[in-house]
Amino acid sequence: LTLLVSSCVGPQDLFCRMRRRGNQSDGLGAVENQLGNEKENSESGGPAEETLSSGASRPKMTRRRTRAVTFSESAANVSVKMSRSSASRTRASSAIDGVINNFEGAPDENEMELWMQEFEGKCVRELEREMALEFQPGYSRTTKFAFMDISPFIRSAIDAILRDSFTKCFESKERERWDNTFYLFPVYWIGLFLRYFVLFPCRLVIVILGLMTTVGMVSLAAVLSGPWKLWLQEKAVSLVNMMFLFSWCAVIVEKGDIPPREPGQIYVANHSSVVDICFLLKRQKYSITGQKHTGVIGFFQNNILNPLGCLWFNRMEQKDRELVSLRIKEHSMDLTKPPLLVFPEGTCVNNEYVVMFKRGAFELGKSIVPVAIKYNKVFVDPYWNSRETSFVGHLFRLMTTWAVVCEITYLDPQYRRKGETSIAFATRVKELIADAAGLKPVPWDGLLKYRTPRPEIKQRRCQIYLNMVRQRFGRGAPPPSTSPESPPESPTTPPH
């Protein structure tokens, strides 16, 4: 990977050009005659290893394997030549065109895989030879840049990409189309027609009628008082909830029993979408604690869900967070109100991972009831990425699928152990939910996706590289002890 980053031509580029120029060939012998018999001379004047172009030195192999070896060796030779000096790039590019033009036929998928393997093997050998030159005493380290000058930073960058477990928590996997055969093609498009032009209009009518009825009930409850007002508001909540579940053809599988109510009891659940609330409200009513929204979600929060005693706040405001903490403690002790439901992740996650739980509810509640939510994504992925899709677009996607399948598991109440901190308590409950739903627990704070890295972090990395270059050319002090592979701004465990 590091050599491909430093090279000007990669294997994928070569293979794409091969596909465009395939079928212009004089056969395998033309390739071997053009580049396969060349010897590369190192910068110190010593001969490099000779490419395996002669039939005597090549082991017996199939014609496909021979094509792969020959082309990969030729392409790797050209790629390394282009990375050495700008003067030879024109000649190397012409040589690549010759390799492509004279190769026999366009590559298939098996040849692509073989070419990649052979190309990478050749690149590794070339990289070892280049690095050996840099360590020779005669190599001028004060006048030339070397591969070792950038390799620590390339390594740390590639390592960060490969080990990135934060971005994966908020990525939704695209569904692959399966209409790739002649007998599945009509089935796919018939199903598409039924979902968008039969099911969706029927579901849209249900939503419109349900919303009209709900608005009428809420308006009537506004002029009433006493028990009739409360009864009408609760019926409006149940109606709008069932309306959405019908419009998605929701299939709910429930496991476990709901524990008896007790003072200080708080329900906590993992969070993938706003629709999590609809699936949980089918079993019993909850007072929901969450982020205050505007628009369509704000309308439902202010006019439909408020009669349940929900607690809405702005997580970016310190005063709001302090005030809602007091209200959570008071609400959890009042048995006349519905039990509290908290999503301690603080944001929507793709239902493949569970990110860090905020410790607020675990400091206030005496009894924590974990609820694990797992979606079956065979028909649709209910994860809502608010940065890419609006809430209306999210509802449209759910209403145009066959069904939304959800499995809800109610776990036994958990209590804070003696000497256990709120952070350790939250982590223990998170792991219980992850294990019950088959999700992967990660230590990241989900709110980091709304923030951008500070400019000081980038400047610190630039300063490290500047000090290294100054030391190489004898114009500065030694670089700081900070290593590019382990910068101080990337702690092993993120702060809570």
Side-chain angles (χ1 to χ4, degrees):
L1 286 177
T2 53
L3 183 62
L4 293 179
V5 170
S6 61
S7 300
C8 301
V9 175
Q12 295 292 352
D13 179 48
L14 295 173
F15 299 150
C16 290
R17 293 164 69 177
M18 276 289 297
R19 287 189 178 278
R20 291 196 297 267
R21 300 195 185 189
N23 300 323
Q24 303 176 13
S25 62
D26 288 332
L28 182 64
V31 183
E32 295 182 347
N33 292 333
Q34 181 174 357
L35 285 176
N37 297 325
E38 292 183 356
K39 291 185 178 180
E40 295 180 8
N41 293 324
S42 62
E43 294 183 15
S44 61
E49 67 176 31
E50 186 176 358
T51 58
L52 297 175
S53 59
S54 62
S57 61
R58 188 185 299 277
K60 292 183 179 181
M61 57 182 69
T62 62
R63 178 173 177 80
R64 172 175 290 171
R65 182 74 175 179
T66 305
R67 283 159 51 92
V69 171
T70 303
F71 175 76
S72 300
E73 290 175 352
S74 303
N77 290 338
V78 172
S79 180
V80 172
K81 288 178 181 178
M82 292 183 68
S83 65
R84 286 180 180 172
S85 64
S86 59
S88 63
R89 292 181 182 179
T90 303
R91 296 193 302 272
S93 181
S94 301
I96 290 177
D97 292 335
V99 171
I100 294 173
N101 289 331
N102 293 323
F103 204 80
E104 181 181 359
D108 56 22
E109 296 299 329
N110 293 328
E111 287 180 327
M112 291 277 286
E113 183 177 356
L114 290 174
W115 285 341
M116 287 290 292
Q117 294 175 0
E118 296 296 335
F119 184 89
E120 291 171 358
K122 178 64 177 177
C123 286
V124 169
R125 293 192 295 271
E126 290 294 332
L127 175 60
E128 293 175 350
R129 191 178 63 82
E130 291 289 339
M131 294 176 64
L133 288 176
E134 294 180 14
F135 284 106
Q136 290 181 1
Y139 188 81
S140 179
R141 291 183 169 274
T142 59
T143 59
K144 294 181 180 179
F145 278 101
F147 179 78
M148 298 302 296
D149 294 331
I150 61 173
S151 60
F153 292 88
I154 295 178
R155 175 186 174 185
S156 62
I158 294 176
D159 184 71
I161 294 173
L162 295 178
R163 298 176 181 272
D164 181 15
S165 60
F166 176 77
T167 307
K168 295 178 182 178
C169 301
F170 309 100
E171 292 179 344
S172 56
K173 297 181 180 179
E174 296 184 2
R175 294 176 57 86
E176 297 182 0
R177 293 179 55 172
W178 45 271
D179 58 333
N180 50 1
T181 57
F182 72 93
Y183 53 87
L184 290 178
F185 182 81
V187 177
Y188 176 84
W189 286 99
I190 290 173
L192 196 70
F193 175 82
L194 292 176
R195 289 191 290 114
Y196 280 88
F197 297 99
V198 178
L199 290 180
F200 175 68
C202 297
R203 294 170 175 178
L204 184 61
V205 171
I206 293 176
V207 171
I208 293 175
L209 293 178
L211 286 177
M212 293 174 61
T213 306
T214 302
V215 171
M217 295 173 67
V218 172
S219 302
L220 182 60
V223 299
L224 296 178
S225 59
W228 283 101
K229 178 177 182 178
L230 182 60
W231 178 84
L232 203 58
Q233 289 175 338
E234 292 179 352
K235 290 299 180 182
V237 173
S238 300
L239 176 63
V240 72
N241 188 64
M242 294 303 298
M243 171 199 72
F244 279 121
L245 293 179
F246 274 121
S247 67
W248 306 326
C249 193
V251 179
I252 305 176
V253 180
E254 294 181 342
K255 298 181 180 180
D257 298 324
I258 295 180
R261 185 74 186 278
E262 59 179 299
Q265 187 180 76
I266 298 177
Y267 286 74
V268 297
N270 57 304
H271 193 31
S272 298
S273 172
V274 179
V275 303
D276 297 341
I277 299 173
C278 297
F279 290 96
L280 293 173
L281 286 177
K282 183 181 180 297
R283 182 76 177 267
Q284 71 171 356
K285 296 187 293 293
Y286 295 97
S287 295
I288 305 164
T289 303
Q291 170 69 24
K292 184 186 299 182
H293 290 273
T294 58
V296 178
I297 301 180
F299 170 79
F300 286 104
Q301 285 181 336
N302 298 327
N303 300 283
I304 307 299
L305 295 176
N306 258 351
L308 297 177
C310 300
L311 306 178
W312 310 116
F313 65 98
N314 186 355
R315 65 170 66 96
M316 299 301 176
E317 296 291 339
Q318 180 68 24
K319 294 182 179 180
D320 278 15
R321 295 199 300 268
E322 295 175 355
L323 180 61
V324 79
S325 298
L326 297 176
R327 294 179 62 186
I328 288 175
K329 190 173 183 179
E330 296 175 358
H331 188 112
S332 63
M333 301 300 295
D334 190 351
L335 298 182
T336 62
K337 297 180 180 179
L340 273 173
L341 173 64
V342 179
F343 298 106
E345 290 174 298
T347 186
C348 295
V349 189
N350 63 2
N351 207 236
E352 299 289 340
Y353 297 84
V354 182
V355 299
M356 184 185 74
F357 277 13
K358 303 295 186 297
R359 63 184 181 182
F362 300 89
E363 291 178 333
L364 304 175
K366 296 181 179 179
S367 171
I368 299 296
V369 182
V371 182
I373 303 175
K374 178 62 177 179
Y375 290 100
N376 189 332
K377 301 179 182 180
V378 63
F379 296 118
V380 67
D381 184 2
Y383 166 59
W384 179 37
N385 191 342
S386 58
R387 295 179 294 177
E388 297 180 358
T389 308
S390 64
F391 181 66
V392 176
H394 181 59
L395 291 179
F396 175 77
R397 185 161 59 90
L398 298 181
M399 292 172 63
T400 54
T401 187
W402 292 111
V404 180
V405 184
C406 178
E407 181 181 290
I408 301 176
T409 305
Y410 295 91
L411 304 177
D412 295 333
Q414 301 295 317
Y415 301 90
R416 191 169 171 178
R417 298 169 180 171
K418 185 177 181 180
E420 187 177 36
T421 64
S422 58
I423 297 176
F425 186 25
T427 303
R428 179 163 61 88
V429 173
K430 181 188 73 172
E431 292 176 351
L432 289 174
I433 292 177
D435 183 65
L439 307 178
K440 300 177 183 177
V442 293
W444 303 111
D445 184 355
L447 296 182
L448 289 176
K449 72 176 183 178
Y450 298 107
R451 303 171 185 171
T452 56
R454 299 190 305 273
E456 294 81 4
I457 297 177
K458 182 178 179 180
Q459 293 175 2
R460 193 180 308 169
R461 306 281 291 185
C462 294
Q463 187 64 39
I464 294 173
Y465 183 69
L466 176 61
N467 292 337
M468 291 179 63
V469 173
R470 284 178 174 174
Q471 184 193 30
R472 275 267 285 107
F473 289 92
R475 298 183 180 180
S481 59
T482 305
S483 172
E485 289 82 357
S486 56
E489 65 273 12
S490 301
T492 304
T493 303
H496 288 268

